[in-house]
Amino acid sequence: MSMSPRPPIPSFIPESAPFTLEQRTWLNGLFAGLFGLEAGATPLSSAEVAKLIPGLVDAAAAPSTAPAEADDGAPWHDPAMALAERMKLAEGKALPRRFMAAMAQQDCGQCGYNCKDYADALFVKSEKRLNLCVPGGKETSRMLKSLYQEIDGIPAAAAVPAQAQSKPAPAVAPGRSRDNPVYATFLSRRRLNKPGSEKETWHIDIDLADSGLDYVVGDSFGIFPANHSDLVGAVLAALHAPADFPIGGRTLREELTDGVSLSPAPDMLFHLISYLTGGERKLKAKRLAAGDDPDGDATALDVLAALYKFSGIRPDPEAFIESLEPLQPRLYSISSSPKSDPGRVSLTVDAVRYEVAKRMRFGVCSTFLGGRVSPGDKLRVYVQRAQHFALPDDPQKPIIMIGPGTGIAPFRAFLQERQATKAPGRNWLFFGHQRSAYDFFYQDEFLAMRAAGLLTRLTLAWSRDDKEKVYVQHRMREVGRDFWSWLNDGAHVYVCGDALRMAKDVETALLDIIAEHGGCRPAEAAAFLAEMKAKGRYQTDVY
Ligand SMILES: Cc1cc2nc3c(=O)[nH]c(=O)nc-3n(C[C@H](O)[C@H](O)[C@H](O)COP(=O)(O)OP(=O)(O)OC[C@H]3O[C@@H](n4cnc5c(N)ncnc54)[C@H](O)[C@@H]3O)c2cc1C
Ligand SMILES: NC(=O)c1ccc[n+]([C@@H]2O[C@H](COP(=O)([O-])OP(=O)(O)OC[C@H]3O[C@@H](n4cnc5c(N)ncnc54)[C@H](OP(=O)(O)O)[C@@H]3O)[C@@H](O)[C@H]2O)c1
């Protein structure tokens, strides 16, 4: 009887990892069993290995998991791609990869990680919270829940080492992470749009004096908001529960104010409602909890709308609070330089207000900053260090900044920094917004910078001044030859703002400029851009 040859054990451990041949062979076997993967699968990075077996590899010595690394084995790493498509691309991949595909792919840092690291942390169970991906919303957390159930289905013999499962979160200094915020003082707000604008965008100043915080340009600022008191009042009324009902040392009103998110209504709330209702209503609540949309109104259901839809229920206030998601902090790109304005931080915040089903809805944090906090109020805050968004080390290097709308924020900071440090490199800013008459944020500052020669070029795109929309990428194409010449001179390119449409369109325009003015084929242009990314010459801060 002939035996079929034993398939080679695939190599998951990079040659560069600090193991003997014997250790590497043993670990490759372990991971082959752990992930149930075939030969030819993407090898794990040293950082992944370090996370899985912290005792064997010094995590600090492992290379960082930059987004570029996530890109090469992650074809789903595109914020504009729908979840179903992302999951399809990740089909058959190792569980951590499928976890990653479930994320919103923005690497926005709101969860405290980039997408790949959050996925890895969930897989090794050093992070247990499945609801941190704010841009991914309910569909991401539903998918994570379903994938999470697969972790324990991994054959016991290949279980994740115990020390990896119980790895404690690293200690972070106060104010350096969403898990350890500090207090800072709200100073002021000033509207950046002129009367007549359709937008409501605020310049916000915050005093860091007593917070112990510092920052560098490119960092983002995290803020824990509070829900609107009218919304809290309406939820209390719909619950028919006393505002001072005690819950774990706090009152129901306090929990509703800054403990839980009141939008959108989570699956768990519909589960709770299904226990409190009968007949048709019970069935509907169950279907909503499962992600169905029986009445075609699921996207309009914030917590209050859900209570109205199932009016008359009297949930136990504690069970009700338990069924809601925690209120998450929001991040804002810092729009000041500490060298220009020491002890303070500035933000540029677009207030989110919109109407659904005849009721005004308010973005919780942007309207908190844009209306509900007063000078002197204390805010719970933290600084989120930028991982891959920084000025070039060499101050001589030219920079090109593309930031429509609130995407301008970090570039005001960059320009202030280049001014304060007298950096000799040339600076080119592309800014765009709806109307030149109303929406030219920081107009006086930028015009003064241009007059002073700091801002070498200022290129503007107004989308609603004329019949035809003009966006920043249209302007880029118009000046493609000069753009290419700056690239040839070693310019670093930065993009900030909308992740879903703008960032993609700007990247396409950049590729076209490289191809047209660099006289190369699309594949060569893509390789040129990939090299720019790898060298940190193309950086994005998108959300
Ligand atoms: C790294 C980073 C940097 C950022 N920098 C900035 C910045 O500089 N400036 C800035 O303004 N924002 C910035 N943001 C976005 C910011 O964090 C918040 O997401 C934003 O302020 C909205 O939060 P919110 O709490 O006000 O709204 P939420 O309460 O979170 O409500 C927003 C949600 O409302 C819904 N919604 C919004 N508009 C509509 C509509 N018209 N119709 C129906 N539904 C709608 C959408 O589901 C949306 O996700 C940044 C985000 C990240 C991750
Ligand atoms: N989570 C949230 O609720 C929230 C809150 C604030 C901001 N954001 C995101 O952050 C982005 C920034 O918001 P913002 O208010 O500062 O400005 P914005 O809405 O992005 O608008 C800025 C400018 O960009 C234009 N624009 C629209 N689509 C574009 C595209 N594909 N390419 C290039 N430019 C485009 C807009 O034009 P037109 O509008 O005339 O088409 C406008 O002139 C938003 O797009 C949004 O996605 C999200």
Side-chain angles (χ1 to χ4, degrees):
M1 193 175 75
S2 70
M3 280 176 55
S4 54
R6 191 185 157 88
I9 292 177
S11 178
F12 297 101
I13 307 298
E15 292 291 316
S16 56
F19 298 118
T20 63
L21 179 64
E22 208 175 59
Q23 283 171 327
R24 192 174 1 259
T25 309
W26 180 81
L27 284 166
N28 278 330
L30 172 75
F31 287 122
L34 179 60
F35 298 136
L37 285 179
E38 301 299 327
T42 315
L44 296 172
S45 69
S46 296
E48 285 169 315
V49 177
K51 281 198 178 111
L52 291 167
I53 315 177
L56 286 181
V57 183
D58 178 8
S64 78
T65 49
E69 179 188 285
D71 278 349
D72 50 42
W76 55 81
H77 198 53
D78 174 355
M81 198 182 281
L83 178 104
E85 205 182 329
R86 300 199 303 269
M87 296 315 298
K88 191 142 190 56
L89 284 172
E91 234 169 52
K93 298 267 182 190
L95 199 45
R97 293 308 223 183
R98 284 185 283 139
F99 270 119
M100 183 195 169
M103 309 299 176
Q105 311 304 315
Q106 292 187 9
D107 280 333
C108 66
Q110 220 157 341
C111 60
Y113 307 85
N114 60 40
C115 301
K116 180 178 177 300
D117 288 343
Y118 181 28
D120 289 347
L122 286 176
F123 179 70
V124 300
K125 298 189 176 177
S126 59
E127 175 59 78
K128 301 243 167 66
R129 294 166 294 182
L130 300 176
N131 52 6
L132 296 183
C133 182
V134 172
K138 277 164 67 162
E139 64 169 8
T140 289
S141 63
R142 274 188 200 125
M143 181 55 70
L144 291 178
K145 253 180 225 160
S146 122
L147 292 172
Y148 205 69
Q149 288 168 1
E150 287 185 38
I151 292 184
D152 296 325
I154 286 168
V160 178
Q163 69 271 40
Q165 288 185 29
S166 57
K167 193 179 165 201
V172 270
R176 303 295 162 179
S177 124
R178 55 178 281 155
D179 295 325
N180 197 2
V182 295
Y183 284 94
T185 310
F186 181 83
L187 286 175
S188 61
R189 75 174 71 83
R190 116 180 112 81
R191 180 114 184 241
L192 289 169
N193 332 80
K194 297 203 178 80
S197 173
E198 287 177 37
K199 289 294 240 182
E200 183 194 324
T201 312
W202 296 95
H203 176 81
I204 306 288
D205 279 320
I206 294 168
D207 184 3
L208 298 179
D210 300 325
S211 68
L213 286 181
D214 56 18
Y215 67 93
V216 295
V217 294
D219 288 349
S220 301
F221 203 66
I223 300 204
F224 284 81
N227 288 310
H228 197 302
S229 59
D230 290 354
L231 181 61
V232 170
V235 170
L236 281 168
L239 283 173
H240 303 281
D244 59 357
F245 188 96
I247 297 178
R250 303 183 83 209
T251 66
L252 177 57
R253 183 190 295 280
E254 285 167 344
E255 276 298 315
L256 289 173
T257 299
D258 60 15
V260 292
S261 166
L262 296 180
S263 173
D267 297 346
M268 282 297 287
L269 176 62
F270 293 118
H271 274 300
L272 177 67
I273 293 173
S274 75
Y275 296 130
L276 303 172
T277 47
E280 178 77 2
R281 291 190 352 137
K282 187 184 194 72
L283 284 177
K284 276 190 181 169
K286 276 188 164 174
R287 286 187 59 193
L288 282 162
D292 288 349
D293 190 0
D295 296 328
D297 60 354
T299 55
L301 295 177
D302 65 354
V303 169
L304 183 60
L307 290 175
Y308 287 159
K309 185 176 175 77
F310 295 94
S311 61
I313 55 165
R314 297 276 190 282
D316 168 68
E318 202 161 347
F320 174 72
I321 291 294
E322 279 287 308
S323 75
L324 302 182
E325 295 283 349
L327 185 55
Q328 310 236 25
R330 304 304 197 253
L331 281 179
Y332 294 92
S333 310
I334 290 176
S335 57
S336 54
S337 157
K339 297 202 173 65
S340 162
D341 210 353
R344 284 183 180 200
V345 70
S346 304
L347 311 175
T348 307
V349 177
D350 180 61
V352 175
R353 299 178 201 273
Y354 56 97
E355 196 177 310
V356 176
K358 297 193 182 130
R359 176 158 59 82
M360 278 309 289
R361 310 284 171 98
F362 305 105
V364 58
C365 194
S366 58
T367 60
F368 173 70
L369 292 170
R372 302 200 298 284
V373 277
S374 305
D377 285 355
K378 296 287 180 196
L379 307 176
R380 268 199 314 151
V381 304
Y382 61 98
V383 169
Q384 171 105 15
R385 283 268 181 257
Q387 285 189 40
H388 306 284
F389 199 75
L391 280 168
D393 291 337
D394 179 356
Q396 311 263 4
K397 292 274 181 215
I399 60 171
I400 303 177
M401 300 161 281
I402 302 154
T406 52
I408 192 66
F411 303 139
R412 179 177 184 261
F414 278 14
L415 285 165
Q416 286 187 350
E417 182 88 3
R418 299 265 273 197
Q419 189 162 40
T421 56
K422 298 191 168 47
R426 287 172 293 150
N427 304 298
W428 187 351
L429 175 66
F430 286 80
F431 173 68
H433 215 328
Q434 293 182 357
R435 295 184 176 84
S436 56
Y438 311 132
D439 304 310
F440 191 170
F441 302 161
Y442 306 112
Q443 178 174 6
D444 294 346
E445 288 180 29
F446 291 139
L447 292 181
M449 285 174 177
R450 190 171 61 178
L454 175 80
L455 196 45
T456 322
R457 284 186 80 157
L458 174 62
T459 304
L460 303 166
W462 305 110
S463 58
R464 304 194 190 182
D465 270 2
D466 296 306
K467 271 200 206 124
E468 295 290 310
K469 293 248 181 202
V470 179
Y471 290 155
V472 282
Q473 62 272 22
H474 299 130
R475 294 288 186 229
M476 285 168 62
R477 288 175 197 277
E478 283 168 13
V479 292
R481 183 193 301 271
D482 293 352
F483 203 110
W484 171 247
S485 149
W486 278 54
L487 290 185
N488 260 336
D489 293 342
H492 287 224
V493 178
Y494 301 89
V495 183
C496 180
D498 175 42
L500 294 186
R501 299 167 308 265
M502 183 277 296
K504 210 178 167 67
D505 294 347
V506 163
E507 186 163 320
T508 305
L510 180 53
L511 282 168
D512 291 346
I513 288 169
I514 295 169
E516 184 183 341
H517 298 280
C520 59
R521 288 194 296 267
E524 290 163 331
F528 186 95
L529 185 59
E531 198 187 331
M532 280 185 70
K533 286 181 184 176
K535 289 188 168 157
R537 276 186 58 204
Y538 182 76
Q539 302 187 357
T540 58
D541 174 21
V542 295
Y543 43 89

